[in-house]
């Protein structure tokens, strides 16, 4: 190894070392600065996150308060008097209750207290159609009696009241409901047949007050060449709206061909199982299908 | 067409007022539109009737066609007859009434014809499943008298029958029997109810005269009805006895209701009671036999008149139950005896 004892060499190694030392210090300082900056950065980052959370919370609360205020302003009167009089509140409640009482009609059996007792209202319906309402005004005394009513004279009201009025008024009312609803249903079917399906009838519809005997001549196709059948429907059970006896006959002397005989028997079954106007609706639909097939 | 029939048709058409002529002829539906157009309806009535009768002859009108015209005329002028009411009853526990109008009619005619060969029976269906029956009675040897027929109005599956008063009383039992058997009933009884107003009789026996029912849907509460005397009309008018007047009003309203009363022309009370007197030593008070006496109340509209009695101050309220029970009991003929 050559020791160079001139200034240059001395300046060389030591200076080099010095330079290296300075470099290390410098880099160490840089590293520390960097670390410090990073620390500050992360601290700031956490702060930002915290502030954001706080901001969201405050936003949510502000919204809630707004909504509360809005809701409370709706309840306040439009003329914006801060006090709602008790009278107004009571009036509104009364109207509400009155509306509910009026709507009770739709349950079929409703009533209103009168000065001497109660006025019961039986609202009849059939297949979702609201039909006539009938009333019985009862006097609450011993014995319970009927003051006046609007039940038709051919409904056995006297019989029912003799049996049940004094002992079991609930049964009395339910029986009466049954009779009236069944009557209303039978009447509805007969009326529908007369008005909507007059084209299928080859003569007048014979009926009676209770609509428990219907007799008519009909054709399956209104304009077609189908045979006229005579139908006789008996409703021996006054609490139902479907017949108990059905006879479909053919007016004529020749024996029916087997296909017409099939039809006759199927019609009898139809009248037993479906309401009258629905049977004729199905006839009409079959007729339409036939028409379509002829066209195509 | 024989002379008697032509005469009968002529007299029937003559009865019809000119204002109703077209309506009745159209309801009769015997002469066609074409035929009616050939007639001059502006001429004098006698000539019009003459023309119409000629048309009927052309079309060969029968007794039944003429009877139908008579029914229609009577339906338009039902107040010209006095109507009685009969009530039928069934045996308890009988089967459901499957009323067939055609069966009823044929059964009714059969029963009458079995007893009386000479009788004209005609039917005309009317509203609410009812039928008007016209019966002209004859005898074994004489043809039916078309000028004195009896009319019967029957609503199917009800126990009540309305008949126009029949002068030939001997035929009433036969008529009753025919009605009872044909309508599947067992017994028939005449009610003590009579009036010219068929619709009112129907309202009374079918209990349809009070149609006011309290429901939650009515807007006017019945208790808040104000006194008819309008107190606020003029402040210079003071009503005496206001409290008493209000009481009378209330009692009247409770008894008679707010509905229009059915129309009757009279109420008759046959009394067979002993004379009651406050004075002692009165001659009549010593009589042991009951006093026979007939009291008849008449009015163009009896029940409205009775309703107006107490408010008008003519009678005390409440009125005697003998007067107020009339629609409820379905009677306007009473027999009162000592108990």
């Amino acid at each position: 190894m050559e020791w160079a004892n001139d200034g240059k060499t001395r300046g060389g190694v030591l200076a080099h070392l010095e330079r290296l030392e300075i470099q290390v210090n410098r880099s160490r300082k840089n590293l520390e600065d960097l670390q410090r900056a990073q620390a500050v950065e992360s601290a700031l980052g956490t702060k930002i996150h915290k502030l954001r959370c706080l901001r969201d919370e405050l936003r949510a609360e502000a919204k809630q308060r707004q909504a509360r205020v809005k809701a409370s302003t709706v309840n306040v009167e439009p003329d914006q008097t801060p006090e709602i009089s008790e009278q107004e509140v009571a009036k509104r409640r009364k109207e509400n209750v009155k509306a509910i009482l009026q709507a009770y009609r739709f349950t079929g059996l409703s009533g209103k207290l009168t000065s001497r007792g109660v006025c019961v209202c039986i609202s009849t319906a059939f297949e979702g159609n609201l039909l006539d309402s009938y009333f019985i005004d009862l006097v609450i005394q011993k014995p319970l009696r009927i003051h006046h009513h609007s039940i038709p004279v051919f409904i056995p009201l006297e019989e029912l009241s003799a049996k049940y009025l004094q002992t079991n008024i609930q049964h009395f009312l339910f029986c009466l409901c049954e009779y009236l609803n069944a009557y209303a249903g039978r009447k509805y079917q007969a009326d529908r047949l007369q008005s909507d399906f007059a084209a299928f009838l080859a003569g007048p519809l014979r009926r009676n007050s209770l609509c428990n005997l219907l007799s008519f001549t009909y054709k399956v196709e209104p304009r077609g060449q189908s045979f006229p059948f005579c139908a006789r429907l008996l409703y021996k059970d006054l609490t139902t709206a479907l017949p108990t006896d059905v006879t479909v006959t053919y007016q004529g002397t020749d024996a029916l061909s087997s296909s017409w005989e099939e039809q006759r028997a199927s019609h009898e079954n139809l009248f037993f199982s479906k309401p009258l106007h629905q049977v004729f609706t199905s006839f009409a639909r079959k007729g339409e299908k036939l028409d379509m097939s002829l066209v195509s | 067409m024989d002379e008697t029939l032509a005469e009968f048709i002529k007299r029937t058409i003559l009865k019809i007022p000119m204002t109703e002529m077209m309506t009745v002829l159209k309801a009769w539906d015997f002469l066609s539109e074409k035929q009616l157009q050939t007639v001059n309806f502006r001429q004098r009535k006698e000539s019009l009737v003459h023309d119409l009768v000629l048309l009927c002859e052309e079309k060969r009108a029968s007794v039944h066609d003429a009877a139908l015209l008579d029914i229609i005329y009577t339906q338009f002028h039902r107040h010209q007859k006095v109507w009685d009411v009969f009530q039928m009853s069934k045996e308890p526990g009988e089967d459901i009434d499957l009323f067939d109008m055609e069966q009823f009619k044929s059964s009714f005619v059969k029963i009458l014809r079995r007893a009386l060969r000479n009788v004209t029976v005609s039917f005309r269906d009317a509203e609410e499943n009812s039928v008007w029956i016209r019966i002209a009675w004859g005898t074994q040897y004489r043809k039916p008298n078309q000028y004195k027929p009896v009319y019967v109005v029957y609503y199917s599956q009800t126990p009540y029958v309305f008949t126009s008063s029949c002068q030939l009383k001997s035929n009433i039992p036969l008529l009753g029997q025919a009605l009872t058997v044909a309508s599947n009933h067992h017994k028939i009884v005449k009610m003590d109810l009579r009036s010219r107003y068929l619709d009112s009789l129907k309202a009374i026996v079918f209990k349809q005269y009070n149609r006011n029912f309290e429901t939650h849907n009515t807007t006017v509460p019945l208790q808040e009805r104000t006194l008819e005397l309008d107190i606020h009309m003029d402040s210079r008018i003071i009503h005496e006895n206001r409290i008493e007047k209000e009481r009378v009003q209330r009692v009247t309203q409770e008894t008679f209701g707010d509905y229009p009363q059915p129309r009757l022309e009279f109420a008759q009370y046959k009394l067979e009671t002993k004379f009651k007197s406050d004075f002692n030593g009165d001659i009549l008070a010593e009589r042991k036999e009951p006093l026979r006496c007939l009291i008849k109340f008449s009015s163009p509209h009896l029940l409205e008149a009775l309703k107006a009695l107490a408010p008008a101050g003519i009678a005390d309220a409440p009125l005697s139950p003998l007067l107020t029970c009339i629609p409820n009991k379905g009677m306007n003929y009473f027999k009162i005896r000592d108990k």
Side-chain angles (χ1 to χ4, degrees):
Chain A
M1 178 157 52
E2 238 181 305
W3 276 107
N5 251 352
D6 40 61
K8 263 211 262 177
T9 3
R10 210 198 297 161
V13 176
L14 288 174
H16 190 66
L17 277 174
E18 234 181 273
R19 264 180 278 151
L20 283 176
E21 212 179 358
I22 294 171
Q23 252 187 4
V24 166
N25 283 340
R26 210 180 285 154
S27 65
R28 203 188 297 143
K29 208 167 142 202
N30 284 344
L31 189 62
E32 280 175 16
D33 279 342
L34 185 62
Q35 278 179 344
R36 224 177 290 134
Q38 274 184 344
V40 169
E41 196 189 308
S42 72
L44 285 175
T46 352
K47 197 169 180 193
I48 290 175
H49 183 75
K50 269 196 203 152
L51 287 173
R52 278 196 182 141
C53 282
L54 188 60
R55 176 203 67 182
D56 289 336
E57 263 179 65
L58 289 172
R59 266 195 192 157
E61 207 186 320
K63 264 196 187 152
Q64 265 187 18
R65 287 218 180 149
Q66 243 186 352
R68 245 183 277 148
V69 166
K70 246 192 188 166
S72 65
T73 50
V74 162
N75 288 338
V76 169
E77 280 190 280
D79 61 12
Q80 284 169 1
T81 46
E83 301 163 348
I84 309 162
S85 62
E86 279 179 26
Q87 218 181 22
E88 294 286 343
V89 169
K91 185 176 168 199
R92 216 160 277 156
R93 232 180 254 155
K94 182 181 169 189
E95 281 172 12
N96 200 19
V97 169
K98 205 166 176 205
I100 293 177
L101 285 172
Q102 285 181 2
Y104 260 96
R105 265 186 71 224
F106 299 110
T107 60
L109 187 61
S110 58
K112 181 177 186 226
L113 287 177
T114 64
S115 53
R116 33 166 193 259
V118 63
C119 181
V120 179
C121 170
I122 297 177
S123 308
T124 58
F126 185 69
E127 290 189 334
N129 297 294
L130 196 60
L131 302 169
D132 293 325
S133 294
Y134 301 97
F135 298 92
I136 318 166
D137 194 308
L138 293 168
V139 180
I140 296 184
Q141 275 175 0
K142 273 217 152 66
L144 199 61
R145 67 181 172 89
I146 300 175
H147 187 258
H148 64 288
H149 62 84
S150 70
I151 314 277
V153 66
F154 40 80
I155 301 281
L157 177 65
E158 268 111 44
E159 232 183 78
L160 286 173
S161 61
K163 267 196 232 170
Y164 304 117
L165 184 61
Q166 305 306 329
T167 51
N168 187 350
I169 189 171
Q170 208 178 29
H171 192 66
F172 167 73
L173 287 173
F174 285 155
C175 277
L176 204 51
C177 268
E178 246 189 339
Y179 272 91
L180 288 170
N181 272 289
Y183 161 67
R186 294 192 301 267
K187 181 167 177 289
Y188 179 78
Q189 292 174 59
D191 290 341
R192 287 282 74 65
L193 176 60
Q194 258 183 319
S195 60
D196 301 347
F197 300 100
F200 289 83
L201 295 179
L205 170 68
R206 268 158 54 184
R207 52 199 283 183
N208 56 24
S209 298
L210 274 168
C211 288
N212 69 348
L213 189 150
L214 298 177
S215 179
F216 52 94
T217 311
Y218 70 99
K219 282 200 232 169
V220 182
E221 290 154 47
R223 307 163 238 104
Q225 290 98 357
S226 54
F227 286 161
F229 284 123
C230 295
R232 196 174 159 87
L233 277 61
L234 301 175
Y235 301 76
K236 287 193 184 147
D237 184 356
L238 289 179
T239 59
T240 60
L242 283 177
T244 52
D245 293 71
V246 175
T247 29
V248 178
T249 54
Y250 161 62
Q251 254 184 345
T253 46
D254 321 320
L256 269 183
S257 66
S258 61
S259 65
W260 286 118
E261 177 55 40
E262 258 182 56
Q263 236 190 36
R264 190 199 66 79
S266 83
H267 285 187
E268 269 189 13
N269 281 326
L270 275 175
F271 285 127
F272 260 117
S273 50
K274 277 207 218 162
L276 202 50
H277 56 298
Q278 280 183 20
V279 177
F280 277 84
T281 313
S282 66
F283 288 165
R285 259 190 235 130
K286 269 195 215 139
E288 281 168 19
K289 277 201 204 131
L290 269 173
D291 277 342
M292 294 306 286
S293 68
L294 283 172
V295 165
S296 59
Chain B
M1 203 166 86
D2 74 1
E3 269 182 33
T4 46
L5 181 57
E7 182 64 23
F8 175 60
I9 295 181
K10 177 173 152 219
R11 290 213 204 166
T12 311
I13 303 180
L14 261 175
K15 279 198 287 187
I16 307 172
M18 280 305 280
T19 49
E20 291 170 13
M21 189 63 77
M22 218 19 168
T23 328
V24 173
L25 289 174
K26 284 215 171 114
W28 189 28
D29 204 22
F30 176 71
L31 298 172
S32 67
E33 274 285 338
K34 253 197 207 168
Q35 283 179 302
L36 288 176
Q37 274 170 14
T38 64
V39 176
N40 175 12
F41 280 85
R42 303 230 186 115
Q43 55 183 319
R44 262 175 51 234
K45 197 171 183 186
E46 283 104 39
S47 345
L48 169 65
V49 174
H50 178 74
D51 288 347
L52 288 169
V53 174
L54 281 176
L55 283 177
C56 292
E57 272 190 23
E58 253 177 53
K59 217 168 175 191
R60 306 230 183 108
S62 67
V63 174
H64 287 289
D65 298 314
L68 200 59
L69 180 63
D70 200 13
I71 295 181
I72 296 171
Y73 171 78
T74 311
Q75 284 178 321
F76 270 78
H77 296 269
R78 43 188 85 177
H79 309 321
Q80 286 179 4
K81 305 267 176 209
V82 177
W83 300 89
D84 288 317
V85 189
F86 287 81
Q87 185 171 14
M88 299 187 286
S89 54
K90 288 190 196 228
E91 287 282 271
E94 258 183 41
D95 285 335
I96 300 287
D97 186 4
L98 293 160
F99 182 86
D100 186 340
M101 189 58 90
E102 299 308 309
Q103 259 176 28
F104 169 78
K105 290 177 187 172
S106 69
S107 179
F108 183 80
V109 171
K110 221 188 280 180
I111 294 171
L112 284 185
R113 287 253 161 83
R114 220 187 290 157
L116 262 181
R117 210 157 29 115
N118 283 320
V119 65
T120 313
V121 185
S122 319
F123 301 96
R124 185 165 198 252
D125 290 341
E127 80 291 341
E128 289 175 50
N129 299 293
S130 67
V131 62
W132 279 60
I133 315 174
R134 177 185 181 276
I135 306 141
W137 305 102
T139 66
Q140 206 68 349
Y141 308 104
R142 254 186 291 145
K143 279 177 106 178
N145 182 351
Q146 300 297 341
Y147 294 95
K148 293 210 170 123
V150 164
Y151 292 91
V152 174
V153 181
Y154 178 56
Y155 288 79
S156 61
Q157 292 169 317
T158 68
Y160 300 102
V161 184
F162 307 94
T163 64
S164 65
S165 292
C166 183
Q167 284 118 323
L168 305 162
K169 303 266 182 213
S170 55
N171 289 318
I172 303 269
L174 176 60
L175 180 60
Q177 191 194 17
L179 283 165
T180 324
V181 175
S183 65
N184 297 320
H185 285 89
H186 189 72
K187 228 173 38 155
I188 187 167
V189 159
K190 184 161 189 236
M191 290 176 72
D192 293 319
L193 184 61
R194 180 184 292 170
S195 172
R196 286 187 179 276
Y197 301 101
L198 185 59
D199 301 320
S200 291
L201 290 174
K202 177 184 168 226
I204 290 174
V205 294
F206 288 5
K207 305 233 178 275
Q208 292 171 340
Y209 52 87
N210 184 354
R211 290 187 189 268
N212 290 346
F213 297 97
E214 283 186 53
T215 68
H216 292 291
N217 299 340
T218 49
T219 43
V220 180
L222 296 175
Q223 290 94 344
E224 288 175 24
R225 208 152 294 259
T226 51
L227 194 55
E228 264 173 34
L229 322 159
D230 199 340
I231 305 175
H232 310 294
M233 212 161 36
D234 190 333
S235 56
R236 293 171 298 179
I237 300 176
I238 306 167
H239 289 284
E240 295 295 321
N241 301 326
R242 190 172 55 83
I243 296 171
E244 175 60 16
K245 285 206 175 106
E246 278 172 2
R247 183 196 73 90
V248 166
Q249 194 82 358
R250 191 176 38 85
V251 170
T252 308
Q253 202 250 343
E254 273 169 19
T255 325
F256 289 91
D258 286 321
Y259 45 87
Q261 301 291 318
R263 194 166 176 186
L264 298 170
E265 318 88 80
F266 61 87
Q268 186 172 294
Y269 299 83
K270 216 179 226 179
L271 299 181
E272 280 179 31
T273 55
K274 284 183 81 168
F275 189 82
K276 290 190 182 83
S277 164
D278 288 331
F279 302 119
N280 285 322
D282 201 342
I283 304 169
L284 287 171
E286 287 168 8
R287 236 177 111 92
K288 287 189 204 124
E289 295 141 27
L291 207 62
R292 286 198 183 83
C293 160
L294 187 78
I295 302 174
K296 188 170 177 180
F297 293 88
S298 302
S299 167
H301 197 323
L302 182 74
L303 294 175
E304 286 290 343
L306 290 175
K307 183 177 174 182
L309 278 180
I314 300 173
D316 286 332
L319 288 178
S320 160
L322 281 171
L323 292 169
T324 56
C325 70
I326 292 172
N328 213 1
K329 282 205 171 154
M331 297 170 78
N332 63 350
Y333 275 82
F334 296 86
K335 280 202 182 78
I336 303 165
R337 292 198 183 90
D338 282 324
K339 284 193 195 132

